[in-house]
Amino acid sequence: MTQKTFFIIIFGLIFCLSSNGQKSEFQEIDSQLTNNFKKMLSAESELRFDRLSPGFTKQILNFLANPVTFRNEFDSLSKYLTIKTSPDNKIKFYSWDDLTGGTWHNINCVAQFETDNGKIIVQQINSGKEAELGRYTDSEIYEVFELNTEIEKLYLTIAWGTHGSGQQHQIVQIFRINGDTLLKCNSCFADNKDLVIEYPRSEKANLTFDPVKNILHFNEFKFDEEKGRYKATGKTISLEFINGVFTRK
């Protein structure tokens, strides 16, 4: 056996041992997070609200900082949480309802992404203060798309949520990776950082995004002052991404 062959064999053994060790570590993380999430959902509401929900959020934030969780798929946890990955595999979104909000669904959302230098960063998307701030980021991200501009790559997400009172909403958020931070695009929509569609639970927004033509389509709803809720107009809105801004067609 030559010295070169010997080192190749040793390197292969080390690689296999390392891979098996990482796989075992990841499986343990997947199992632990899944079991704790199931325990949280089955607990009494007061205990869930005061201790278990904040504890699970803290735990998943800690575990997702481990690069091994970014390189693997959560076979078990994905049955309970919504996990969506961008087409380029640079960013993942984890969403879950902790069932602490009643008809107002308290949906948590966390982003896990890779920086240009290969570092794995975890960042919470919802603030937990949506009720105070009048925001809609407590929503479940169920679709992720890429938007390529001349300057940078953007990530468009579509999410669903509800704040009760017979209403629901969908929100389109656009992010960009800036160093170790995930930032919102401040200029992608004319009136706000996010596109929010509020509508009755009995209706459908039919919100879709065409990644080839870069066009958003959705049903239009307007607020009815007399009834105090949103009402369908029967119209469809189309917004096209032109020169970095979604513009009505």
Side-chain angles (χ1 to χ4, degrees):
M1 179 186 298
T2 65
Q3 187 177 41
K4 181 179 179 181
T5 303
F6 174 78
F7 282 117
I8 290 174
I9 293 173
I10 294 298
F11 178 80
L13 288 172
I14 293 174
F15 178 79
C16 289
L17 289 172
S18 176
S19 297
N20 289 334
Q22 288 182 359
K23 184 177 181 180
S24 177
E25 178 187 13
F26 176 73
Q27 289 174 338
E28 175 61 30
I29 292 173
D30 189 13
S31 175
Q32 190 172 340
L33 285 173
T34 302
N35 289 336
N36 287 345
F37 185 77
K38 292 164 67 175
K39 287 178 183 178
M40 177 185 71
L41 293 190
S42 63
E44 294 182 358
S45 58
E46 186 174 343
L47 177 61
R48 186 167 64 242
F49 182 84
D50 291 338
R51 293 179 53 192
L52 298 184
S53 176
F56 179 79
T57 300
K58 182 178 180 181
Q59 183 183 52
I60 195 171
L61 287 170
N62 288 334
F63 275 135
L64 292 184
N66 185 337
V68 72
T69 62
F70 189 74
R71 310 297 179 193
N72 292 278
E73 300 296 329
F74 283 95
D75 293 333
S76 180
L77 189 64
S78 61
K79 297 176 182 177
Y80 301 92
L81 275 63
T82 300
I83 305 174
K84 295 297 177 181
T85 306
S86 63
D88 65 357
N89 295 313
K90 294 285 288 185
I91 184 167
K92 291 182 178 181
F93 292 93
Y94 301 75
S95 307
W96 69 94
D97 189 343
D98 60 15
L99 302 182
T100 62
T103 58
W104 180 312
H105 286 231
N106 183 34
I107 299 175
N108 299 277
C109 185
V110 169
Q112 180 191 38
F113 60 95
E114 184 178 28
T115 67
D116 289 338
N117 60 11
K119 185 178 179 182
I120 303 304
I121 304 294
V122 183
Q123 183 174 320
Q124 191 156 357
I125 302 302
N126 70 299
S127 66
K129 298 181 180 179
E130 281 78 9
E132 301 172 28
L133 302 174
R135 295 177 182 170
Y136 299 85
T137 48
D138 51 342
S139 301
E140 173 195 358
I141 291 178
Y142 63 88
E143 285 189 291
V144 184
F145 300 94
E146 292 177 25
L147 279 171
N148 291 298
T149 71
E150 293 181 359
I151 302 175
E152 61 188 344
K153 177 179 287 187
L154 301 173
Y155 298 91
L156 182 150
T157 65
I158 297 178
W160 174 91
T162 176
H163 291 170
S165 301
Q167 300 288 293
Q168 59 185 330
H169 62 264
Q170 288 196 260
I171 177 173
V172 179
Q173 302 173 87
I174 300 178
F175 302 94
R176 62 185 177 91
I177 297 174
N178 182 33
D180 291 354
T181 307
L182 193 66
L183 298 178
K184 285 279 189 75
C185 177
N186 292 317
S187 58
C188 288
F189 294 107
D191 300 324
N192 207 324
K193 290 182 181 180
D194 307 319
L195 171 66
V196 178
I197 306 161
E198 295 185 77
Y199 58 106
R201 289 193 184 181
S202 59
E203 299 279 0
K204 292 184 178 180
N206 292 323
L207 172 62
T208 61
F209 177 66
D210 184 334
V212 177
K213 298 181 179 179
N214 286 341
I215 299 177
L216 285 163
H217 299 284
F218 54 93
N219 294 342
E220 182 184 52
F221 296 87
K222 287 191 175 180
F223 191 74
D224 188 321
E225 295 289 349
E226 290 187 11
K227 296 184 178 181
R229 60 183 59 238
Y230 284 86
K231 183 179 179 181
T233 67
K235 298 179 181 179
T236 299
I237 302 295
S238 296
L239 301 177
E240 184 175 4
F241 193 64
I242 303 174
N243 297 325
V245 181
F246 274 98
T247 305
R248 188 163 178 168
K249 294 190 68 178

